[in-house]
Amino acid sequence: MKLDKVIKKAIIVFTNTGENLLSLLYPNICPFCGRVLVTENKGRICERCQFRLPYIYEPRCKKCGQPLEKETQEYCWDCEHHKHYYEKGVAVWGHHPDVSHAIYQFKYHNRRIYSRFFAKEMVKSYEFYFYQWNIDVIVPIPISRKRRRERGYNQTELLAKEIGKLTRIPVETKGLIRIKETRAQKVLNVRERRKNLKDAFRWTGDGNMLDERNILLVDDIYTTGSTIDEAARILKKSGAKNVYFMTISIGQGY
């Protein structure tokens, strides 16, 4: 019993030490271009990137938040032609080489510290929505055990926890699990993506946590919405009232 406590304490110390080392390795670096910022920048983003990154503004799809070409449009082609299980969603940026690169570093190259930056940008951009949607619980999109072992962490879980700290909304990281080892979505077309993710998730948490609650799903990228949709379907099937989503970036048609 005492040994278990010692091990747990060692893990906490190791984790905190790792985060501090990351802060030393990447001090005040712009996540998009990698420049070291000479002056203190609260947003941790250089002025050059601040002005050229594709922040999502109106007009945007009323369902998925994808940027639209015409102000007279209300929905993107996908949301006009396909049913979605979620109520509504938003993203901070459109897919852009610098954004994709930063997410890739965050996701695969252990830049866990980026979770703080992305979370701040998401809350800063859409703080009003947390209250408008009356979010009760934040749930990150889970990854498989295999991918978690390979990567060492789930980037969306880190992101959700940081958002939870900023908004003081509870975060549930254990309830929604991935029970199916799926192929990489990026190599599949729209139909294959939906088939690939069918029954990929399961809710194993406390049913009362979802009962008539408003849930915010957090993910890094929204492309066709297949992942968000399947997770939203499972959450609603398990008792959730409404499901919304928030991502770092979103595609602009496919």
Side-chain angles (χ1 to χ4, degrees), residues 121-187:
E121 284 291 318
M122 293 165 86
V123 173
K124 183 175 71 175
S125 297
Y126 298 112
E127 186 173 11
F128 174 72
Y129 282 91
F130 290 95
Y131 304 101
Q132 185 186 61
W133 296 341
N134 194 25
I135 299 300
D136 296 302
V137 182
I138 299 172
V139 176
I141 292 293
I143 58 177
S144 68
R145 291 183 179 179
K146 178 183 176 183
R147 288 180 184 171
R148 183 158 192 144
R149 284 196 301 270
E150 292 172 348
R151 203 173 299 169
Y153 60 98
N154 175 7
Q155 75 283 350
T156 59
E157 182 179 315
L158 298 178
L159 191 59
K161 287 179 178 179
E162 291 297 333
I163 293 173
K165 289 177 185 177
L166 293 169
T167 60
R168 297 185 180 180
I169 296 174
V171 179
E172 172 52 51
T173 63
K174 305 296 183 183
L176 186 66
I177 63 171
R178 190 180 290 251
I179 59 173
K180 180 180 172 184
E181 186 66 44
T182 56
R183 294 171 61 194
Q185 290 286 88
K186 60 185 178 183
V187 301

Side-chain angles (χ1 to χ4, degrees), residues 95-108:
H95 286 337
H96 179 280
D98 288 343
V99 176
S100 298
H101 175 73
I103 293 175
Y104 186 84
Q105 296 297 314
F106 172 46
K107 195 170 182 175
Y108 299 111

Side-chain angles (χ1 to χ4, degrees), residues 31-246:
F32 300 103
C33 65
R35 292 181 178 180
V36 175
L37 304 176
V38 178
T39 57
E40 181 64 26
N41 188 314
K42 292 182 180 179
R44 292 184 59 83
I45 178 171
C46 70
E47 290 184 4
R48 176 169 163 265
C49 290
Q50 185 76 49
F51 287 106
R52 70 174 182 156
L53 291 176
Y55 283 85
I56 305 294
Y57 300 111
E58 299 291 351
R60 59 186 173 203
C61 177
K62 290 185 176 181
K63 188 74 173 177
C64 71
Q66 182 180 140
L68 301 173
E69 293 182 358
K70 300 178 181 178
E71 292 186 4
T72 53
Q73 285 181 270
E74 291 189 345
Y75 299 96
C76 66
W77 186 92
D78 176 57
C79 291
E80 281 186 341
H81 293 81
H82 295 103
K83 174 187 175 182
H84 290 298
Y85 289 94
Y86 60 81
E87 269 59 48
K88 190 174 181 179
V90 289
V92 180
W93 297 286
H95 286 337
H96 179 280
D98 288 343
V99 176
S100 298
H101 175 73
I103 293 175
Y104 186 84
Q105 296 297 314
F106 172 46
K107 195 170 182 175
Y108 299 111
H109 287 181
N110 207 28
R111 301 290 174 86
R112 306 185 197 193
I113 197 169
Y114 284 5
S115 62
R116 300 173 189 174
F117 165 76
F118 288 136
K120 287 179 181 178
E121 284 291 318
M122 293 165 86
V123 173
K124 183 175 71 175
S125 297
Y126 298 112
E127 186 173 11
F128 174 72
Y129 282 91
F130 290 95
Y131 304 101
Q132 185 186 61
W133 296 341
N134 194 25
I135 299 300
D136 296 302
V137 182
I138 299 172
V139 176
I141 292 293
I143 58 177
S144 68
R145 291 183 179 179
K146 178 183 176 183
R147 288 180 184 171
R148 183 158 192 144
R149 284 196 301 270
E150 292 172 348
R151 203 173 299 169
Y153 60 98
N154 175 7
Q155 75 283 350
T156 59
E157 182 179 315
L158 298 178
L159 191 59
K161 287 179 178 179
E162 291 297 333
I163 293 173
K165 289 177 185 177
L166 293 169
T167 60
R168 297 185 180 180
I169 296 174
V171 179
E172 172 52 51
T173 63
K174 305 296 183 183
L176 186 66
I177 63 171
R178 190 180 290 251
I179 59 173
K180 180 180 172 184
E181 186 66 44
T182 56
R183 294 171 61 194
Q185 290 286 88
K186 60 185 178 183
V187 301
L188 307 175
N189 61 35
V190 179
R191 184 175 295 180
E192 289 172 335
R193 286 174 186 237
R194 292 196 173 100
K195 184 178 180 181
N196 186 45
L197 284 160
K198 181 68 175 175
D199 297 322
F201 303 109
R202 179 186 296 165
W203 177 258
T204 61
D206 182 358
N208 294 325
M209 181 170 286
L210 295 182
D211 190 29
E212 291 299 302
R213 302 293 181 88
N214 296 320
I215 310 300
L216 178 69
L217 278 170
V218 171
D219 203 359
D220 48 12
I221 301 171
Y222 181 107
T223 306
T224 65
S226 302
T227 303
I228 296 288
D229 255 336
E230 182 60 18
R233 184 181 75 83
I234 294 301
L235 291 176
K236 284 192 168 182
K237 184 180 178 182
S238 303
K241 181 180 180 181
N242 296 304
V243 179
Y244 302 90
F245 79 81
M246 194 171 288

